[in-house]
Structures are given as structure tokens and as C-alpha cells.
Amino acid sequence: MINGVVTSKLEAIVRFHIIDGSGQSQPIDAIIDTGFSEYLSMPVAAVARLGLPWLIRHPTELIDGQFVPVDIFSATVIWNGSPRMINVQALGKHTLIGMALLAGHDLAIRATDGGPVSIDAIP
């Protein structure tokens, strides 16, 4: 189970670990974004700091329907205690968890300041 908390801005945030380019585990806090269909989005500077390997530049549709080219990187995250290979989009100002990373899991959010957040694998 992955646990987190709802902030005063009503953002559901969880902490998990990502393996950086040198093989070290780094904690990462991310906002859950159910309107984002991919795995993970991180600011360009955060991706560079982690030294993640680049995969491809791919056109990505933004919330306003506009398509922009976005660099996609490969990453291993520790998700529910197990390593999981995912794609990371280098985009935006915040680290966002998308629905592809949440697939196969139950998500519980008590949408109040300080409320608990939990992500648990569906048995």
C-alpha cells in the first residue's frame, strides 16, 4: 500500500521511490491526477537531476487539446514494494501520477485538508 495526504490546496499527494540514473533510490512526492492518462509526468529539471535515460520525443495532447512534443524517459519506480518500469514525461511544473500508473489499484482519497490517501493493489 502507498499512503499519502491531502494538502490544504486539496491536492492528493503520495510518496514513493524512483531509481535514478546511478541506480540509487530517491524519494519522490507526486500529485494524483485522474485526468492524466499516462504513468508519470515530472518537470524537465527533475528528470535531468535524476539522470533518467531518454527514450523518444512524442506528441502529447495537453488539457486544452493542443499537441506539443514531449521527451519521454524510462524509469523504474518502487510501486507497492516492487520495481516497475514506466515511462516518464518531462513536462510541467509538478510531478503528477496518471491513471496508467494507478491501473489495477484501488485509490481512496478523503478530500479534506489532512485527509488520508491510499493506493492499494487490487487482489
Side-chain angles (χ1 to χ4, degrees), residues 50-62:
L50 289 167
L52 301 178
W54 181 83
L55 292 175
I56 192 170
R57 178 167 284 169
H58 189 269
T60 298
E61 186 176 9
L62 301 179

Side-chain angles (χ1 to χ4, degrees), residues 9-74:
K9 294 180 182 180
L10 295 179
E11 296 172 329
I13 296 182
V14 296
R15 175 171 281 182
F16 58 99
H17 285 81
I18 190 166
I19 307 302
D20 66 19
S22 62
Q24 300 299 309
S25 176
Q26 303 292 334
I28 189 165
D29 292 327
I31 301 167
I32 295 170
D33 183 352
T34 60
F36 174 45
S37 61
E38 299 298 326
Y39 289 93
L40 189 67
S41 176
M42 298 179 77
V44 172
V47 172
R49 190 171 41 255
L50 289 167
L52 301 178
W54 181 83
L55 292 175
I56 192 170
R57 178 167 284 169
H58 189 269
T60 298
E61 186 176 9
L62 301 179
I63 191 77
D64 64 2
Q66 176 184 352
F67 282 87
V68 296
V70 174
D71 287 321
I72 309 294
F73 294 80
S74 178

